[in-house]
Amino acid sequence: MTVTIDSAVATPTGRRPPWYRSLFVQLLVAIVAGIVVGACWPGFGADLKPLADGFIKLIKMVIAPIIFCTVVLGIAHVGDMKAVGRIGVKALIYFEVVTTFALLFGLVVGNLVKPGAGFDINPQTLATGAEQIAKTTKNGELPHTVDFLLNIIPASVISAFAENALLQVLFFAVLFGLALAKLRERAGTAADGVGKPVPPVILDGIDHIGRIFFTIIGWIMRLAPLGAFGAMAYIVGQYGLSSLGSYGKLIACCYLAALLFLLILAVLARVFAGVNLWKFVMYIKDELFLALGTASTEVVLPRIMIKLTAAGCSRATTGLVVPTGYSFNLDGATLYLSICVLFLAQALGVDLSLGEQITAVGVLMLTSKGMAGVPGSSFLALSATITAIGHGSIPVAAVALLLGADRLMDSMRVTVNLLGNCVATFVVAKWEGQLDTERMRKVLDGEDVPPSADVDPRSG
């Protein structure tokens, strides 16, 4: 028996559907329409936010069970606890190296471009900044490192799924998958016949449940253009295009840094995994446009996992690396944060020393790991960083200067975060010998390939 999981994205055969049924075309039209509506009728555009919120909630509704099913079946397929441990350790090492590089790279670009030069902000005018930040972040705070790590362990299995805590779901799924693999191992080594195989109903049941949720995702994705339209209309209507002029240099600096960083990711993908990043971007263009339109990478997590598996990455590697990367590998966010630290200092006429910049990198290395799912997390991370630097000429309230430009950076952060996690999956899969390079080449070249099949964890 084989288990296929990517029928939704298998290369089609025969006559292709009309161009107007392409999700890419529909998303492109929806995003452009959202920009027009938000610019021409700002009030009406801002009122369309529920369209985006509803779509995002529909996607989040099924993310946790999809991660659980994918990870459990993937680990049961691998059947080797050491191999699963290696995947996790290599992924975390990769995440730490790349995100630290992103922070340092952002500092280099910020020092060269100087996006805050010329603002000449008087600190006395920032008296209400702290109140604005508190309102934006809902008086929340980033978890401390120890609290963040302890929070990965759920209070109960049910609460992990009920609260949609992806790292907690992933933690339980890994334990569940390892337990299934252990049962297989004991059954296979029992020479006296006492060992019993894993009941077929368990693995088959998880497989069928996963198929059901992927079918639901297919239905929800038909609403993707509507969600992208509402999100774009809201962003433009609420924040206006005038911010482009006020923060033009900062925006240009961030997007330049993102473009250069993507080139570095392309080199990593080519050297360590043999992946052509441009071809991969074309392969996931629908998901990329949806993430850009809704300013969220979570909405494409299920489909990205399907497409990575269809492109030759093992189910175990994809299931472990992608969800973990959503908390530990925020390349775009870390790039943005390091540039913003320099922007605030330059806007206030403060020259940060090398030691203070290194301190900022150290703090951001910790705070960026707990950002996922926290409202206004970028402002909280910057506030903590400025406090740690301890430079009296930069008040924490200065972070409020970024309120007008933060949402305009979403496209940059989303793109780099998404592609960064995809490259990480390819690289780790290649390191572990769990990347079908021939299949990957054919899929990215647009050739017809059959649906990928994972070996049945019960029969091998």
Side-chain angles (χ1 to χ4, degrees):
M1 171 184 171
T2 57
V3 182
T4 59
I5 66 169
D6 59 335
S7 57
V9 295
T11 305
T13 57
R15 187 172 66 87
R16 293 184 178 276
W19 62 270
Y20 54 84
R21 295 187 61 184
S22 165
L23 181 60
F24 175 77
V25 173
Q26 293 175 359
L27 286 171
L28 182 61
V29 172
I31 290 173
V32 172
I35 293 174
V36 171
V37 170
C40 297
W41 302 282
F44 176 67
D47 291 338
L48 294 178
K49 189 173 184 287
L51 293 178
D53 291 344
F55 174 72
I56 292 173
K57 289 184 70 175
L58 285 171
I59 293 289
K60 288 185 175 181
M61 175 180 69
V62 295
I63 286 180
I66 283 177
I67 289 177
F68 176 79
C69 294
T70 301
V71 172
V72 167
L73 289 173
I75 292 177
H77 162 55
V78 172
D80 183 354
M81 297 177 67
K82 292 182 179 179
V84 173
R86 285 198 309 269
I87 293 172
V89 170
K90 288 180 179 179
L92 291 175
I93 292 174
Y94 176 91
F95 293 159
E96 191 60 40
V97 171
V98 175
T99 52
T100 301
F101 175 80
L103 288 170
L104 295 173
F105 187 75
L107 286 181
V108 171
V109 174
N111 278 297
L112 293 176
V113 178
K114 299 187 183 302
F119 265 70
D120 298 326
I121 300 295
N122 184 351
Q124 301 301 322
T125 63
L126 302 173
T128 61
E131 297 176 5
Q132 292 175 297
I133 294 299
K135 181 179 179 181
T136 302
T137 59
K138 300 177 181 178
N139 290 310
E141 61 180 20
L142 292 175
H144 296 293
T145 303
V146 174
D147 295 333
F148 171 69
L149 294 175
L150 286 176
N151 194 47
I152 295 176
I153 305 173
S156 72
V157 174
I158 295 176
S159 69
F161 284 90
E163 297 171 7
N164 211 29
L166 299 189
L167 280 181
Q168 294 182 359
V169 172
L170 178 63
F171 179 80
F172 173 68
V174 169
L175 293 180
F176 196 94
L178 289 174
L180 285 180
K182 190 65 176 179
L183 287 177
R184 283 186 60 225
E185 181 183 329
R186 288 177 177 174
T189 58
D192 56 0
V194 175
K196 296 181 180 180
V198 179
V201 67
I202 295 179
L203 292 170
D204 287 346
I206 294 174
D207 177 45
H208 288 303
I209 291 173
R211 292 171 185 268
I212 290 171
F213 280 107
F214 278 120
T215 300
I216 294 174
I217 280 291
W219 294 341
I220 296 174
M221 288 303 296
R222 296 179 183 178
L223 301 175
L226 192 62
F229 168 73
M232 193 56 63
Y234 164 73
I235 291 173
V236 176
Q238 180 74 21
Y239 297 95
L241 296 176
S242 59
S243 297
L244 291 173
S246 303
Y247 294 91
K249 196 171 182 180
L250 174 61
I251 294 170
C253 178
C254 288
Y255 278 87
L256 172 63
L259 179 61
L260 294 175
F261 190 80
L262 288 178
L263 293 177
I264 295 172
L265 285 180
V267 173
L268 288 177
R270 171 66 78 177
V271 172
F272 292 103
V275 177
N276 184 313
L277 190 61
W278 174 249
K279 289 183 179 179
F280 181 74
V281 168
M282 292 296 99
Y283 172 59
I284 63 164
K285 62 181 184 299
D286 292 352
E287 290 73 25
L288 191 57
F289 256 73
L290 178 58
L292 290 173
T294 57
S296 171
T297 52
E298 281 192 348
V299 298
V300 297
L301 187 149
R303 282 178 60 95
I304 282 294
M305 292 174 69
I306 297 174
K307 284 201 165 182
L308 284 168
T309 307
C313 297
S314 72
R315 194 189 309 194
T317 303
T318 302
L320 287 170
V321 175
V322 175
T324 308
Y326 270 55
S327 291
F328 287 91
N329 192 40
L330 302 174
D331 297 336
T334 52
L335 191 67
Y336 166 71
L337 289 173
S338 59
I339 292 175
C340 285
V341 169
L342 290 179
F343 167 80
L344 294 175
Q346 293 162 2
L348 292 166
V350 176
D351 185 18
L352 291 180
S353 66
L354 179 61
E356 289 170 333
Q357 293 188 33
I358 292 176
T359 300
V361 169
V363 175
L364 289 173
M365 284 174 61
L366 297 175
T367 56
S368 62
K369 300 299 185 293
M371 288 174 56
V374 179
S377 56
S378 59
F379 300 111
L380 292 172
L382 286 171
S383 298
T385 303
I386 290 173
T387 301
I389 292 175
H391 203 301
S393 300
I394 309 179
V396 174
V399 176
L401 291 172
L402 295 166
L403 287 172
D406 187 69
R407 289 305 296 265
L408 300 174
M409 304 296 182
D410 281 339
S411 297
M412 179 274 287
R413 290 185 296 229
V414 163
T415 301
V416 179
N417 286 346
L418 181 60
L419 290 177
N421 282 321
C422 291
V423 170
T425 306
F426 277 115
V427 171
V428 175
K430 181 68 172 179
W431 285 349
E432 275 297 297
Q434 296 191 26
L435 175 63
D436 186 341
T437 53
E438 182 63 22
R439 179 181 179 84
M440 178 265 293
R441 183 191 62 79
K442 290 182 178 180
V443 169
L444 298 189
D445 285 342
E447 299 180 20
D448 288 347
V449 292
S452 65
D454 280 341
V455 179
D456 187 341
R458 288 180 285 111
S459 66

